[in-house]
């Protein structure tokens, strides 16, 4: 299975010490060089050097596509979508709303970090989706509280009890 990830899922999962969920769920993850650069640029949340992770497959950026729909995206999002299309990825992990919409419009199978957490909860890799999602919010990662509650309920969790 070919999976590509954008920057935010790495940051969000690293913020709660759950980066290991990506290889546990997907085996390897393909990452555009520009995303590797964005993660390396650093910020408040430290992401390990992606090149040092044996489950990350770096992919050389492509020339920017002539697709006008990509113009509003940042470099990492553009490259993630361009490369996912080129390699016929089975899944793209991207959180930003506009990037998700464009990826879906272009026919890509999209999930986000919350989807990764939901899959991890279903696979028994984490004890609580709701607690993990709330922990990311506490780290300053912006996810809709209502969406978190709805997914938690779908997974059989009582979001009010955490």
């Amino acid at each position: 299975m070919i999976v590509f990830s954008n920057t935010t899922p790495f940051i969000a999962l690293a913020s709660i010490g759950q980066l290991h969920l990506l290889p546990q769920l997907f085996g390897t993850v393909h990452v555009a060089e520009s995303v590797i650069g964005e993660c390396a640029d650093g910020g408040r949340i430290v992401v390990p050097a992606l090149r040092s992770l044996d489950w990350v497959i770096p992919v050389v950026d492509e020339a920017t596509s002539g697709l006008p729909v990509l113009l509003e995206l940042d470099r990492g999002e553009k490259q993630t979508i361009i490369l996912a299309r080129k390699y016929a990825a089975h899944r793209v992990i991207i959180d930003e709303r506009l990037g998700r919409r464009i990826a879906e419009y272009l026919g890509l199978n999209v999930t986000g970090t919350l989807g990764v957490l939901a899959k991890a909860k279903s696979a028994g890799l984490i004890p609580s989706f709701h607690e993990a999602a709330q922990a990311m919010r506490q780290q300053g990662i912006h996810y809709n509280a209502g969406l978190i509650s709805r997914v938690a309920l779908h997974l059989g969790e009582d979001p009010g009890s955490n």
Side-chain angles (χ1 to χ4, degrees), residues 103-122:
E104 289 169 348
Y105 171 78
L106 294 172
L108 295 169
N109 182 6
V110 178
T111 193
T113 305
L114 295 180
V116 170
L117 290 180
K119 186 173 173 106
K121 167 62 178 170
S122 295

Side-chain angles (χ1 to χ4, degrees), residues 81-110:
I81 292 170
I82 289 167
L83 292 169
R85 288 184 76 213
K86 176 182 178 178
Y87 288 89
H90 298 93
R91 186 168 313 251
V92 178
I93 308 169
I94 190 168
D95 285 342
E96 293 75 18
R97 182 177 298 163
L98 181 59
R100 291 173 62 92
R101 287 184 179 160
I102 290 172
E104 289 169 348
Y105 171 78
L106 294 172
L108 295 169
N109 182 6
V110 178

Side-chain angles (χ1 to χ4, degrees), residues 31-37 58-64 75-76 78-80 82-83 86-87:
V31 183
E33 291 282 347
S34 53
V35 169
I36 291 171
V59 182
V60 175
D61 288 353
E62 291 282 313
T64 303
R75 182 163 175 80
K78 283 180 192 173
Q79 288 299 319
T80 298
I82 289 167
L83 292 169
K86 176 182 178 178
Y87 288 89

Side-chain angles (χ1 to χ4, degrees), residues 3 5 13 30 35 61 100-101 109 143-144 162:
V3 175
S5 181
L13 291 169
H30 293 69
V35 169
D61 288 353
R100 291 173 62 92
R101 287 184 179 160
N109 182 6
Y143 294 110
N144 181 284
N162 293 332

